[in-house]
Amino acid sequence: MSDAEHKDQTSPSGDAKTNGRRERILAAARKLFAERGFSQTNVADITALADVSIGSVYYHFANKNEIFFELWSTYSRGQSAATRAAVAAFRAVGVTDGSQLFLAGTRAYLLCAYDSRDLVSLFYGSDQPADFSERQRIVTPEFDWHAQNQKLLQDKALTTVLTGSMGEVSRQVAALPTKEEAETFINAVIAIFSRLMTPQPEKGKT
C-alpha cells in the first residue's frame, strides 16, 4: 500500500471517504438485489452502480454474500432500535403491563418492515445466499426476539406462537402498496394478538 493510500484510509478525511464508499456499496447492492434478485446481481454490477473499484468492494466485504448479510444486520439493528424505543416510550408514561409493551414493540417492528419493504422481500424470499438461514440462527441477545418477548409475556407457548408468526406478518405488511393499507393491516394484527393475550374464562365459568 502506498503512503497516499495509507493516508486515505487512516486520516479523518480518508475515514470519511472509506465509510462513504462502504455506504454507496450497500446502497447499490440493496437497489440491485431488490430489482434483479440476489443471484442475478454480481459484484461488477454493484461496483458500477456505486461508482467504486472492485478493490473497494473487497476491502469492505469478503464477497457478495457478506454484503447481503450486512444488509440483514443493518435492517435487524434498525428494527431492534425502533422496538426498544417504542417500549421505552410506553414505560416512560407509566405502562408496566407486559402485553401492552409487547404490542407497542410489535407495532414499531411491523412499521419498520413496511419502511424497509424492499429488504423484507429479499429476506423472506427464496433468492438468498446458501448460508443465509444458518447465519440467521446465530443470534445475539439484541436480536433474540423470542427471549425478549418471553420477558414481556411470561408465557412460553404464547411467545412462541406470536414470535413465530412475525416473519410471515412482516412479509404481508411489506407487500402492501401504501402506508395507509399497511397501518390498517398492522392494526388488525395488533387486535388479533391482543385477543390471543386476553385470558379466556374456563368452561362452565362466567
Side-chain angles (χ1 to χ4, degrees):
M1 179 183 291
S2 69
D3 290 343
E5 288 173 324
H6 181 75
K7 180 178 180 181
D8 183 58
Q9 292 182 7
T10 58
S11 66
S13 60
D15 286 344
K17 290 178 181 178
T18 299
N19 290 335
R21 285 193 292 269
R22 185 178 189 277
E23 293 308 311
R24 291 207 307 276
I25 291 165
L26 288 170
R30 176 174 180 167
K31 177 177 174 62
L32 291 171
F33 290 162
E35 291 178 351
R36 303 180 185 179
F38 173 77
S39 61
Q40 296 302 311
T41 300
N42 57 45
V43 172
D45 298 326
I46 296 170
T47 61
L49 184 58
D51 192 24
V52 300
S53 68
I54 289 284
S56 291
V57 173
Y58 289 114
Y59 175 78
H60 293 289
F61 305 100
N63 49 45
K64 187 177 69 168
N65 291 22
E66 291 299 321
I67 298 175
F68 189 97
F69 196 73
E70 179 57 28
L71 289 172
W72 161 258
S73 297
T74 300
Y75 169 70
S76 296
R77 287 193 293 271
Q79 279 191 312
S80 179
T83 55
R84 289 173 185 273
V87 171
F90 269 60
R91 281 182 167 144
V93 296
V95 177
T96 59
D97 179 72
S99 296
Q100 295 305 309
L101 295 174
F102 169 81
L103 293 176
T106 295
R107 184 181 298 278
Y109 182 99
L110 294 176
L111 286 172
C112 276
Y114 180 79
D115 290 338
S116 299
R117 52 197 178 277
D118 58 328
L119 291 177
V120 172
S121 297
L122 286 173
F123 302 146
Y124 293 102
S126 58
D127 187 12
Q128 304 164 345
D131 61 344
F132 182 56
S133 295
E134 180 181 345
R135 295 189 65 173
Q136 281 182 293
R137 290 194 290 269
I138 304 173
V139 297
T140 65
E142 181 184 11
F143 300 149
D144 190 343
W145 298 106
H146 190 280
Q148 294 180 44
N149 293 339
Q150 172 67 17
K151 289 180 181 178
L152 295 175
L153 299 177
Q154 298 295 308
D155 184 319
K156 185 174 182 179
L158 181 62
T159 298
T160 300
V161 170
L162 297 184
T163 305
S165 69
M166 208 66 74
E168 178 59 24
V169 173
S170 295
R171 192 177 70 81
Q172 294 295 332
V173 167
L176 292 168
T178 68
K179 184 71 171 284
E180 181 180 9
E181 289 176 89
E183 290 178 340
T184 298
F185 183 75
I186 290 169
N187 287 339
V189 170
I190 293 295
I192 292 169
F193 282 5
S194 182
R195 289 199 297 272
L196 288 174
M197 292 186 293
T198 302
Q200 300 297 312
E202 295 181 20
K203 289 184 178 181
K205 295 184 179 181
T206 58

